[in-house]
Amino acid sequence: MLARLLFAAASVAFAIAVTGCARVEQALAPEPTVVTIEATQAVPGADVNGELAEGLPADLPLWPGADVRSSTAASDAYTLALVTTEKFDDVVPGLAAGFERAGWEVMEELAGDEGSEAGTASASPRATVLTVSGAAGGGIVTVTEGEGAVLIEYVIGSAS
């Protein structure tokens, strides 16, 4: 009889421990982070911090959350400079994918990462140039890695 009582108590304790552990584990687990395409790629109409010149192509992919450093539009060309604190290695493929997703063609991607040894004063930043073409025109987008920030510079010629 005592053995049955001990067995029953052990079984109940085991069941409580197993279900209790799952509840504790669930309570301590962090909420999942949902990453959208818009957070990892440039998209047309993305929210940026600052004023954009009137007349920029509506389908021009912008890096979400970037700060506008400069923005100009003329009858035949558009220039735009954005700064973001995202990682260079995330921005370059995210821009290329964003252009392609928006219907632009990324014709060439030239990358340069030469520089001198780490820790020397003359080390060059990494840079990539995307040659793009779309309905609004064509041009280049230069992505340059700086200290703690990435500069994205657009020079787009109008198709008209």
Side-chain angles (χ1 to χ4, degrees), residues 9-94:
S11 297
V12 170
F14 178 75
I16 290 172
V18 169
T19 58
C21 286
R23 285 188 198 140
V24 169
E25 199 173 284
Q26 186 177 25
L28 295 178
E31 288 294 316
T33 301
V34 177
V35 178
T36 63
I37 289 175
E38 289 76 15
T40 59
Q41 291 182 3
V43 292
D47 287 331
V48 293
N49 302 314
E51 198 169 319
L52 295 172
E54 287 187 34
L56 286 172
D59 66 342
L60 185 67
L62 304 174
W63 193 261
D67 295 323
V68 178
R69 183 173 276 179
S70 68
S71 178
T72 60
S75 61
D76 61 348
Y78 313 95
T79 64
L80 175 63
L82 301 175
V83 176
T84 182
T85 56
E86 300 292 327
K87 295 178 184 173
F88 178 85
D89 292 328
D90 294 336
V91 173
V92 172

Side-chain angles (χ1 to χ4, degrees), residues 88 112-115 122-128 143-147:
F88 178 85
D113 60 354
E114 71 264 358
S122 61
S124 299
R126 294 189 297 168
T128 295
V143 183
T144 307
E145 182 179 43
E147 199 166 310

Side-chain angles (χ1 to χ4, degrees), residues 108-134:
E108 188 172 0
E109 187 174 320
L110 301 173
D113 60 354
E114 71 264 358
S116 44
E117 304 258 338
T120 64
S122 61
S124 299
R126 294 189 297 168
T128 295
V129 178
L130 303 174
T131 304
V132 297
S133 177

